[in-house]
Amino acid sequence: MTKTAWVFPGQGSQSLGMGSDLIELPLSKEKFAQAEDILGWSVVDICQNDEAKLSRTLYTQPCLYVIESILVDALLAKQKPDLVAGHSLGEYIALYAAGVFAWSDGLRLVKRRAELMDSAAGGMMAALIGFDQGQLEQTLAENADVVLANDNSAAQVVISGTPEAVKEVMAKVKAKRAIPLNVSGAFHSPFMATAAAEYEGVLASVEFQTANVPVLSNVDPTPTVDAIALKQRLMQQMTGSVRWREISQALPGNGIEKVIEIGPGNVLTGLIKRTCGNLQLENIRTAAELPGE
């Protein structure tokens, strides 16, 4: 059997109309109804009709969790992964797929996470593409107000910090493209410490189980199934860097031959291809792309 990893995208992969064909899947109506009870608003309505809300952290994160987890349920009925990982928010769907927590608990965690991140203010994030690695490392070392938030691949990173510090790095580091991100705060940086401290109590209240399959976490890309370790890693995630390049490199090292990205878009398979070009890559974005009987 081909050893397969499932990976889950996070914020930025959403698109209007996502999940439109999931409504007809068995159990999806129940999940959408349950989500409306927990969230107080309709995932289906926002995904179909409200692009402005869908692009706002408060709504984006729960919508992605619900859509991706419904795809997970449909896929788990037919096959099982050998390893899972998710990018930022995607780590929550990875943990759900691995049986670490109940679906409703996961959605409540994502809801609170989204509320805290949406209310964060005063920070800035920017993506750098085709940059000078040495120059970036030196500039970050010289400025305590900006950090590497997402190490996505050798050619793409995201920096996070105060607006002044982020703009200074963008001006100093040679890059093919430097793109400010439309987010409210300095996510995945020490500037999220207040939000992370408040979130820690919410996370502590949720029971984690031993994972069914190993998980590669954002802050620690070594595989583990240990419930305590997985919760501790998730507690560090809001202020820690997303080490996606290292997660990509760890896949073949753990015997993975095939990677399935579950959720809208193809960001993660694109990043993995740049880091590990010899892996089989597949995307499941819609019900139509789920394997047949």
Side-chain angles (χ1 to χ4, degrees):
M1 290 289 288
T2 303
K3 283 196 77 174
T4 302
W6 291 1
V7 299
F8 302 92
Q11 197 166 345
S13 61
Q14 71 276 3
S15 61
L16 194 67
M18 69 177 187
S20 58
D21 67 344
L22 300 183
I23 299 164
E24 302 310 315
L25 289 179
L27 296 179
S28 66
K29 286 186 176 67
E30 184 185 329
K31 282 277 167 67
F32 282 127
Q34 217 180 330
E36 191 164 352
D37 287 342
I38 291 169
L39 299 169
W41 46 266
S42 168
V43 169
V44 173
D45 285 352
I46 285 177
C47 287
Q48 302 310 308
N49 306 310
D50 199 331
E51 193 163 13
K53 277 189 175 178
L54 185 58
S55 66
R56 185 179 164 191
T57 298
L58 186 66
Y59 300 97
T60 310
Q61 295 187 9
C63 284
L64 286 170
Y65 177 87
V66 172
I67 297 299
E68 292 179 30
S69 61
I70 289 173
L71 287 169
V72 164
D73 290 343
L75 197 54
L76 279 172
K78 300 174 181 183
Q79 56 184 259
K80 301 285 189 292
D82 296 289
L83 185 142
V84 294
H87 191 287
S88 191
L89 169 78
E91 187 168 326
Y92 287 78
I93 303 99
L95 291 168
Y96 167 69
V100 173
F101 47 59
W103 183 84
S104 56
D105 285 339
L107 182 55
R108 288 187 181 93
L109 287 175
V110 168
K111 177 179 184 282
R112 190 67 190 124
R113 179 185 193 263
E115 289 167 351
L116 289 166
M117 291 177 74
D118 187 69
S119 63
M124 180 178 176
M125 300 179 76
L128 302 180
I129 300 166
F131 55 92
D132 183 310
Q133 180 72 42
Q135 199 178 34
L136 176 64
E137 288 174 2
Q138 183 179 340
T139 308
L140 290 176
E142 292 169 352
N143 195 327
D145 290 333
V146 61
V147 298
L148 185 65
N150 297 356
D151 182 9
N152 288 330
S153 74
Q156 183 190 329
V157 297
V158 174
I159 56 173
S160 183
T162 65
E164 299 75 21
V166 170
K167 287 172 186 173
E168 182 182 330
V169 173
M170 292 170 75
K172 282 186 176 179
V173 176
K174 290 178 184 173
K176 287 182 181 176
R177 294 174 71 195
I179 309 160
L181 301 185
N182 183 24
V183 295
S184 59
F187 302 162
H188 295 293
S189 83
F191 295 98
M192 295 298 293
T194 301
E198 187 172 342
Y199 183 66
E200 192 170 320
V202 182
L203 192 56
S205 70
V206 172
E207 185 178 357
F208 276 40
Q209 306 291 338
T210 301
N212 300 327
V213 296
V215 181
L216 301 178
S217 303
N218 287 193
V219 300
D220 187 345
T222 54
T224 187
V225 297
D226 183 74
I228 295 171
L230 289 169
K231 181 178 279 195
Q232 188 58 44
R233 290 175 178 187
L234 205 57
M235 281 184 176
Q236 297 166 9
Q237 198 217 60
M238 202 178 282
T239 55
S241 296
V242 177
R243 296 162 61 182
W244 192 259
R245 179 175 55 87
E246 292 173 75
I247 287 174
S248 299
Q249 291 169 336
L251 296 172
N254 284 279
I256 297 300
E257 302 160 272
K258 181 179 180 179
V259 178
I260 302 175
E261 180 176 1
I262 301 169
N266 56 3
V267 170
L268 299 185
T269 44
L271 292 173
I272 291 166
K273 186 176 183 179
R274 293 186 191 102
T275 304
C276 305
N278 58 339
L279 294 171
Q280 299 175 51
L281 302 173
E282 184 181 330
N283 290 84
I284 296 178
R285 294 158 285 212
T286 63
E289 291 178 327
L290 288 163
E293 296 300 328

